[in-house]
Each structure stands twice: as C-alpha cells, then as structure tokens.
Amino acid sequence: MKCRDLIDLNDLSSEDWESIISLAQKIRRAPSEYARAAQGQIIATLFFEPSTRTQLSFQTAMLRLGGQVIGFGDPQTSSIAKGETLKDTVKMISGYADLVVIRHPLEGAAKAASLYSSCPVINAGDGGHNHPTQTLTDLLTISEEKKLDGLTVGFCGDLKNGRTVHSLVKALARFPANRLVFISTPGLALPEYLRQHLTMKGVPYVQSDSLEEQIGSLDVLYMTRIQKERFPSEEAYRKEAGVYILDEAKMKKARADLLVMHPLPKVDEITDAVDADPRCVYFQQAEYGMYIRMALLNRQLTLPSQVPPVYSSNVEEISCKNPRCICNHERYLPPRFFRPENDPASLVCEYCDTPARL
Ligand code: NCD
C-alpha cells in the first residue's frame, strides 16, 4: 500500500518521485485540466514557523486544484498559545480537513503529528531536519535542465542546519553516479549521520571551505542561507554569517551550463547583480514548487485512507539526546528508535535521526 504521509522523501520509491515530478510537468503545461481535481476537499496548513513560499505555494496549489484551505501561519493566533499539545491540535484538525500540511521548529514534529492524525500528513519542514517537498521541487528544477544522474552538485552555506540540504542530499544519494561537494565552515558542516549515509550508499563526496576553488567543477550549485534562528545566540550567528558570498567574480569561474539554485529566502549570500545571470534559476525553482505541490496534493488526496498505527515505545530507558527533537518537548510521545542498515549495533531516533549514545 502506498504511504499516505510524506514525512521523509525516503518514504517514497524512486518510481513515486518520478511519477510526482512528471505529473507536476504535465500540470505545468496544462493547468486547466486539473482545475477541479480537488473539488470538495480541504487541506489544513499548520505553520508553527515563518514561511512565504512553502505556505503560499501549498495554499495556491490547493486553490488551483479547486479545493479549499484552512489553517494558520502564526500559532499565536491558535489555541497553541493557550498551551494545547501538538497531539490534540492535530487530532482535532485532521477531523476537519482531508490532509494536513505542517511546518514546525522542532525536529521530528511532522512524524509526531502523523501518529495522531486521521488524515495524511505532509512535512513542510521540521526544524533543521527535513524538507521533502522542497526536495521534490529541487529535483523537478534540476530535471527540467539536466539528467538527475552523473552530476557534480555543490552545497554551500549552512549545511548543518539547512533542512533543504539534508533532504536533497538523501535524495541525490539514490543516484550513485552523482558526486557531492560540501562547501562550508567546519562549524556548519553536514551532520555526521548524512555523511555516513553517503558512505553506505557509495556516493563520493568531498568537503571544502572554498567556494572559489570548487565552483568551476560543478553542474549545480545549491546556495543556502545561514539559518540564524537555529543558533543559540546572535553572537554565535555573527561568527558564521557572511563567509560565502556568490558574486560576479566567482560566477566567471563557473561553467556556462551551471545551475545556481537556492531554496530562498536569500539574505546576503548572493549579490543582487548575480540574480540577472541566466544560470540562476531560483525564482523559477520557487514557481516549480507550486506545480510540485499540486501534483503531490493530487496524489496524496486520492490515496485510500488508513487507520494510523498505534505507536508505543520500542526501547527501555533510552531517550533522544537532541534538545531540538519534538520528543523532548511533547512528553507524551513514545521514545522510538531504529537500527540503521550500515550500523545495526546502534540506535537512531525515529523522530529526528539523531544517533543515541548508548
Ligand atoms: C527554506 C526552509 O524553510 O527551510 N525555505 C523554503 O522552504 N523554501 C530555506 C530557508 O529558510 O533558508
């Protein structure tokens, strides 16, 4: 049976990705054919964290499919401000809507929501963890211009906290002929669990601190913002901010067919002059996000309904050590761990992917 939730892109098979991407391409070419595809249905967009593109593209996608939208963009206007749990909020809203889209500052929040929802849940970003619908958008953007295999893809900026990076790295690891280049300061390097994942999948990668040295070898450059809101203090953020700036001089060293992508919002990591370079596709990428979400909503809303599994803790006396994991904030959540394929002797938190220190 097809998975009704989209929490992590690895919930879907490569064939599922292909069919969502090709449906998005079809919708983009003939949107009017889908104008009534979701008529009579309602999605709830629960945004516990700021968002422009993801929230508005989900809402527009549903409206363009002929459906309707309820939800909030500021949790202070809902009963969460009165102390309501995520569990109660989701239990109740999933009785109002046919599908829930959730963005939350804590890692694993979408997974937690899916445990209590009676309708499908889509993860629209959970803390610094994952952002699968952005990744589908990114895959569509790349596949409009290039083949998805045999690419050298550079990631630059905040690779530690950037959830769009984490999801895209996992996705590109499905194609073993890809080569990845991680450009960051040591403090903002890609998390270890993702580097291990690449090693397990046999995907070659290098780590570097120089955008200038690496740019000439890239087919795709994925620039990212330093995720200010994930730093413990303004001072800690200042130490990492402004290190990598993509300017015209660096673009001169890049290949003529480079694709410069960015999930947006950008702050100061790309100069305004570079925006006009035809190799920059980030505004196009943002538009593709709407077609991907139309395709995804169309798919998930037509899947047969499932009774949510009853979850209980599967470990004794182990708790997740990640302070930003939802299970350390919403205390009713059962601690859940899995044993990774590459290291069956260890345990990893099911909500946030953080290895447990045994
Ligand atoms: C990203 C996000 O929210 O993770 N934006 C997006 O969804 N398009 C990137 C970011 O905030 O830096």
Side-chain angles (χ1 to χ4, degrees):
M1 186 181 288
K2 288 190 171 161
C3 187
R4 52 175 221 143
D5 302 315
L6 178 55
I7 307 302
D8 182 306
L9 213 46
N10 282 334
D11 293 342
L12 302 177
S13 66
S14 302
E15 293 72 45
D16 291 333
W17 299 0
E18 269 166 36
S19 83
I20 294 165
I21 290 170
S22 75
L23 179 58
Q25 286 167 327
K26 255 165 81 187
I27 295 176
R28 181 168 165 247
R29 274 150 209 151
S32 60
E33 285 177 24
Y34 297 84
R36 282 194 281 276
Q39 208 169 30
Q41 290 184 298
I42 296 175
I43 63 163
T45 55
L46 314 184
F47 277 69
F48 293 81
E49 207 184 40
S51 170
T52 304
R53 270 150 297 273
T54 307
Q55 182 174 201
L56 295 183
S57 64
F58 261 115
Q59 294 177 349
T60 314
M62 189 59 178
L63 296 175
R64 284 187 185 272
L65 292 172
Q68 288 174 293
V69 181
I70 57 168
F72 53 78
D74 174 5
Q76 290 311 313
T77 61
S78 76
S79 280
I80 290 127
K82 300 178 187 170
E84 187 167 57
T85 60
L86 180 65
K87 168 177 155 178
D88 287 1
T89 304
V90 167
K91 265 193 163 179
M92 187 215 35
I93 291 177
S94 65
Y96 298 162
D98 300 292
L99 182 145
V100 166
V101 176
I102 180 170
R103 167 170 288 192
H104 199 284
L106 293 171
E107 298 170 9
K111 164 89 184 174
S114 73
L115 304 186
Y116 302 101
S117 174
S118 55
C119 67
V121 172
I122 294 181
N123 182 5
D126 58 328
H129 185 217
N130 275 328
H131 195 345
T133 68
Q134 180 63 44
T135 299
L136 286 170
T137 301
D138 299 339
L139 295 177
L140 168 62
T141 309
I142 298 172
S143 50
E144 285 288 297
E145 305 289 337
K146 296 179 189 285
K147 276 184 72 160
L148 275 169
D149 214 349
L151 297 172
T152 299
V153 181
F155 291 85
C156 179
D158 190 345
L159 312 188
K160 177 181 178 206
N161 300 300
R163 56 193 172 198
T164 61
V165 172
H166 302 166
S167 290
L168 185 55
V169 165
K170 279 201 254 175
L172 293 173
R174 285 250 183 118
F175 309 92
N178 286 331
R179 178 178 167 265
L180 307 183
V181 179
F182 299 114
I183 305 154
S184 74
T185 60
L188 296 184
L190 193 76
E192 162 118 41
Y193 83 91
L194 285 166
R195 282 182 271 140
Q196 282 176 359
H197 182 76
L198 293 174
T199 307
M200 181 187 78
K201 295 273 173 197
V203 178
Y205 69 87
V206 292
Q207 290 183 281
S208 165
D209 61 3
S210 170
L211 176 56
E212 217 147 15
E213 277 171 23
Q214 300 294 338
I215 197 166
S217 71
L218 306 177
D219 296 301
V220 176
L221 170 60
Y222 198 89
M223 290 296 292
T224 61
R225 164 182 81 88
I226 307 300
Q227 307 273 302
K228 187 175 184 185
E229 67 279 26
R230 315 261 179 245
F231 282 74
S233 66
E234 173 81 24
E235 199 198 344
Y237 165 70
R238 289 266 144 246
K239 278 196 192 139
E240 295 284 2
V243 176
Y244 297 103
I245 310 237
L246 182 62
D247 55 17
E248 286 172 296
K250 292 192 190 80
M251 287 299 283
K252 283 204 180 102
K253 298 189 169 179
R255 301 224 295 252
D257 64 347
L258 172 74
L259 283 189
V260 181
M261 296 171 59
H262 193 306
L264 302 178
K266 56 188 173 68
V267 184
D268 57 4
E269 60 278 7
I270 300 181
T271 62
D272 285 336
V274 170
D275 278 352
D277 191 307
R279 292 170 288 181
C280 295
V281 295
Y282 28 83
F283 292 111
Q284 186 66 53
Q285 186 184 351
E287 189 188 324
Y288 288 154
M290 178 182 74
Y291 295 112
I292 274 291
R293 288 167 181 125
M294 286 176 81
L296 190 61
L297 289 174
N298 189 63
R299 175 185 188 275
Q300 303 301 104
L301 284 166
T302 48
L303 292 180
S305 63
Q306 281 174 24
V307 179
V310 178
Y311 266 81
S312 57
S313 178
N314 61 356
V315 285
E316 296 288 318
E317 290 167 18
I318 296 181
S319 55
C320 178
K321 298 289 179 289
N322 174 7
R324 299 190 303 192
C325 179
I326 187 83
C327 71
N328 287 320
H329 294 257
E330 305 260 338
R331 293 292 177 178
Y332 52 83
L333 287 170
R336 298 271 312 174
F337 290 84
F338 67 93
R339 294 188 184 277
E341 267 173 69
N342 59 329
D343 184 9
S346 69
L347 289 172
V348 172
C349 176
E350 272 188 19
Y351 297 97
C352 71
D353 285 307
T354 300
R357 275 169 247 125
L358 298 174

